[in-house]
Amino acid sequence: MIELTKTGIEGLDSILNGGIVSNSTTLVIGTPGAGKSILGLQFIYNGVEQFDERGIFLSFEENAADLRAAAESIGFDRWAEFEEAKDIKVYDKQRLLQQNDFSETLDVLLEDIDQGEYDRLVLDSLAMFELFFEDESEQRTYLLKFTDILKQNGLTSLLTNEQAAVFPDTDIGLENFLTDGNIYLIQTPTESGVNRYVWVAKMRKQNIETDIYPMEITQGGIEVHDSASAFSMMNDSTSPI
């Protein structure tokens, strides 16, 4: 029996047939503005509010005050309360980027991770994380080391990453192959605004719905609709493994 961690986003949990595999690392990929950070905030917030699961949010792009303001602006009104109670622990860019060496930064994180007090983790984003390293080989080594540490300490983790292309199959990076799951957030411009979609491309150990589903970003976070979209641009030959 595979243990699952619910995101608390009903439509997304349905696509995942119950949730994300516990103690796994899932990559959340999309173009700027697609909703990656919001999904991460919602995953951490819902964990505390709905499931009594504490979370760590690592932000290489925002400071803690701006992150709190962003969470509250989309309806996560108890974020500051949860942070004050240490149910949510935020490491912001000022703290994470104090060190020039990732080993030293990891030592700081391990103070919380090693104690087993947290269940969920979000890293936002890998694009900034990778600035610690000189080449792809070093990135791969440390990403593997980091994800192994997360799993060993019982954390179910989301790692966000920027994607330059609208079409996922044209921009598959190394990190796609090093994580247990891949979730794409897709946005396409229209005359009246933007259409948004979610595609769960991979989830090891789990049967998933691989159609593309419409989603919205509303007051209260991301909503995923349960009817598969007619919009489709992927097939088996383009799906990352």
Side-chain angles (χ1 to χ4, degrees), residues 187-196:
Q187 55 181 352
T188 59
T190 68
E191 290 184 359
S192 58
V194 174
N195 287 338
R196 301 181 186 275

Side-chain angles (χ1 to χ4, degrees), residues 144-230:
L144 280 170
K145 177 181 179 181
F146 184 57
T147 55
D148 282 347
I149 287 171
L150 297 180
K151 292 176 186 179
Q152 288 165 10
N153 287 277
L155 287 159
T156 304
S157 306
L158 301 184
L159 317 178
T160 75
N161 204 15
E162 292 287 333
Q163 176 175 278
V166 172
F167 294 92
D169 59 293
T170 65
D171 193 22
I172 296 173
L174 174 66
E175 54 280 340
N176 295 62
F177 302 94
L178 301 181
T179 48
D180 301 300
N182 292 342
I183 298 175
Y184 287 93
L185 303 184
I186 304 162
Q187 55 181 352
T188 59
T190 68
E191 290 184 359
S192 58
V194 174
N195 287 338
R196 301 181 186 275
Y197 306 90
V198 60
W199 175 44
V200 180
K202 178 183 78 172
M203 189 64 62
R204 290 176 185 149
K205 303 180 183 178
Q206 175 74 329
N207 292 323
I208 56 172
E209 302 294 334
T210 57
D211 287 328
I212 301 168
Y213 291 84
M215 61 167 262
E216 295 179 278
I217 298 175
T218 66
Q219 184 68 13
I222 288 173
E223 293 182 6
V224 178
H225 301 291
D226 59 5
S227 57
S229 172

Side-chain angles (χ1 to χ4, degrees), residues 42-92:
Q42 197 165 356
F43 177 69
I44 294 295
Y45 186 80
N46 287 351
V48 178
E49 187 177 56
Q50 298 181 24
F51 308 111
D52 195 28
E53 295 183 357
R54 305 172 82 200
I56 297 173
F57 198 102
L58 312 178
S59 178
F60 286 94
E61 301 182 358
E62 302 284 351
N63 62 45
D66 288 342
L67 200 66
R68 188 181 309 118
E72 292 173 348
S73 73
I74 53 175
F76 306 151
D77 298 331
R78 300 180 67 191
W79 183 276
E81 174 191 336
F82 293 154
E83 199 176 342
E84 180 70 23
K86 300 191 185 321
D87 291 325
I88 293 176
K89 183 69 175 283
V90 173
Y91 287 88
D92 66 7

Side-chain angles (χ1 to χ4, degrees), residues 18-42:
I20 294 170
V21 175
S22 298
N23 292 7
S24 67
T25 55
T26 298
L27 187 63
V28 179
I29 317 139
T31 54
K36 301 180 299 297
S37 297
I38 292 174
L39 179 57
L41 291 169
Q42 197 165 356

